[in-house]
Short mmCIF file of all heavy atoms in Angstrom, two decimals:
data_model
loop_
_atom_site.label_atom_id
_atom_site.label_comp_id
_atom_site.label_asym_id
_atom_site.label_seq_id
_atom_site.Cartn_x
_atom_site.Cartn_y
_atom_site.Cartn_z
N SER J 44 -61.67 104.78 -58.87
CA SER J 44 -60.24 104.61 -59.16
C SER J 44 -59.44 104.18 -57.92
O SER J 44 -58.17 104.23 -57.98
CB SER J 44 -59.73 106.05 -59.60
OG SER J 44 -60.51 106.49 -60.65
N ARG J 78 -71.27 121.60 -43.84
CA ARG J 78 -72.31 122.26 -43.09
C ARG J 78 -71.74 123.49 -42.38
O ARG J 78 -72.43 124.52 -42.27
CB ARG J 78 -72.86 121.28 -41.98
CG ARG J 78 -73.74 120.25 -42.60
CD ARG J 78 -74.10 119.26 -41.45
NE ARG J 78 -75.12 118.30 -41.94
CZ ARG J 78 -76.14 117.83 -41.27
NH1 ARG J 78 -76.29 118.31 -40.01
NH2 ARG J 78 -76.97 116.92 -41.75
N GLY J 89 -75.66 137.26 -43.61
CA GLY J 89 -76.88 137.83 -43.04
C GLY J 89 -76.56 139.14 -42.16
O GLY J 89 -77.42 140.02 -42.14
N PRO J 128 -40.28 104.50 -50.17
CA PRO J 128 -40.63 105.94 -50.15
C PRO J 128 -39.79 106.73 -51.14
O PRO J 128 -40.25 107.77 -51.64
CB PRO J 128 -40.32 106.37 -48.74
CG PRO J 128 -40.18 105.13 -47.98
CD PRO J 128 -39.79 104.01 -48.91
N GLY J 142 -56.72 115.73 -55.75
CA GLY J 142 -58.10 116.29 -55.92
C GLY J 142 -58.33 117.22 -57.06
O GLY J 142 -59.36 117.16 -57.71
N ILE J 188 -62.16 121.36 -33.21
CA ILE J 188 -63.27 121.11 -32.33
C ILE J 188 -63.44 119.63 -31.93
O ILE J 188 -63.67 119.34 -30.79
CB ILE J 188 -64.61 121.62 -33.03
CG1 ILE J 188 -64.51 123.17 -33.21
CG2 ILE J 188 -65.88 121.25 -32.25
CD1 ILE J 188 -65.60 123.73 -34.18
#
Side-chain angles (χ1 to χ4, degrees):
S44 308
R78 285 174 175 223
I188 292 167

